Amino acid sequence: MNIVTEHITIANERLSLTNQRAIYWPDEKALILSDLHIGKTAHFRKHGIPVPDDILQKDLERLKQLIRHFKVQQLIIVGDLFHAENNSNILTFESWVSQFENLHIVLIKGNHDRQSNRLMNQLGIKVESQLFVEPFYFIHEPKNDSLHEFTISGHIHPGVLIKGRGKQKVKLPCYQVTKQQLILPAFSLFTGLNTKANSNDVISYTFTDNAIFKL
């Protein structure tokens, strides 16, 4: 896996955007991500929709490599860690978590996170409705009325539509950054893309397997 970074500074804090759909925050030794949607593939298969069984394993392998690469001590997951009811994917995640010692996991509860407190405790996950770690507020759904605090969120799975010659078009995931907020791309590869910018002053950092581009 190729890890490419783009360093930005917000409120005097250095953040490293990666082409692997997550941000590394050096001062907190934290990896920030959103919308992993564990349980989605098993949920689809349960309802007769054929999707590959290895999607979750690939997502978790990417996450493991990011944790190892940056020597991460905590995960800040900005919502939708889970997607559906308890199913076989939850057991896969439980096994995956067990390989890490002293990894602190915080989940800002998203609209899909309906798992029991008992399961969260079993997995060692601290659940919050929102989280403030100076100077950032972490919330799941973006806000358009945040005048004083800088928010980091997910939920909308942002992307960009790039037009080439003729009718050639390609959609790519991106980070959307404004003066007041940063919206993360969905970490899972098994998600759609919303190519509508949330405001006129948005800066998009889109990426491929080998590069990050500022648009």
Side-chain angles (χ1 to χ4, degrees):
M1 184 180 81
N2 187 26
I3 299 175
V4 180
T5 58
E6 175 79 15
H7 305 300
I8 64 173
T9 300
I10 297 174
N12 296 319
E13 289 291 329
R14 178 183 169 96
L15 301 175
S16 297
L17 311 181
T18 77
N19 67 328
Q20 298 299 330
R21 301 172 177 241
I23 296 173
Y24 180 58
W25 186 4
D27 281 359
E28 294 293 325
K29 295 182 172 58
L31 195 68
I32 307 166
L33 61 144
S34 185
D35 297 279
L36 188 51
H37 288 283
I38 294 167
K40 186 174 183 179
T41 54
H43 178 76
F44 274 44
R45 289 196 305 276
K46 179 180 177 181
H47 290 82
I49 303 172
V51 295
D53 190 36
D54 64 346
I55 292 174
L56 176 60
Q57 284 78 7
K58 289 179 178 178
D59 284 340
L60 293 178
E61 178 61 25
R62 287 170 42 237
L63 183 52
K64 181 179 76 173
Q65 291 193 41
L66 286 165
I67 291 169
R68 302 295 193 204
H69 177 81
F70 291 110
K71 298 180 174 59
V72 170
Q73 294 183 4
Q74 63 173 321
L75 295 180
I76 300 175
I77 304 171
V78 194
D80 287 355
L81 170 61
F82 300 105
H83 180 81
E85 71 284 348
N86 287 355
N87 55 41
S88 59
N89 285 169
I90 306 298
L91 296 177
T92 300
F93 180 65
E94 185 175 8
S95 176
W96 179 87
V97 167
S98 68
Q99 69 187 296
F100 300 101
E101 294 183 3
N102 303 318
L103 179 64
H104 182 57
I105 304 176
V106 181
L107 169 65
I108 290 80
K109 192 172 184 178
N111 55 298
H112 281 281
D113 293 311
R114 304 188 187 102
Q115 309 301 318
S116 67
N117 292 333
R118 179 179 178 182
L119 176 63
M120 296 301 186
N121 291 334
Q122 182 178 325
L123 294 170
I125 298 173
K126 183 178 181 182
V127 181
E128 304 280 3
S129 58
Q130 63 180 20
L131 176 69
F132 177 67
V133 182
E134 191 173 0
F136 304 127
Y137 275 92
F138 296 93
I139 54 176
H140 178 54
E141 297 188 30
K143 288 185 177 181
N144 294 323
D145 59 351
S146 175
L147 299 178
H148 303 293
E149 62 271 347
F150 192 93
T151 61
I152 296 179
S153 59
H155 183 59
I156 67 171
H157 306 179
V160 294
L161 178 64
I162 298 177
K163 298 179 180 180
R165 294 181 178 178
K167 296 182 179 180
Q168 292 180 334
K169 297 179 182 179
V170 61
K171 288 183 179 181
L172 295 173
C174 72
Y175 303 87
Q176 290 183 347
V177 183
T178 69
K179 293 180 180 179
Q180 297 175 345
Q181 66 180 349
L182 186 156
I183 305 175
L184 290 150
F187 187 81
S188 177
L189 300 179
F190 187 39
T191 53
L193 290 176
N194 177 0
T195 57
K196 294 181 180 180
N198 67 326
S199 68
N200 293 327
D201 63 344
V202 67
I203 297 173
S204 296
Y205 293 87
T206 189
F207 49 86
T208 65
D209 290 340
N210 300 305
I212 299 176
F213 306 94
K214 180 179 177 180
L215 300 177

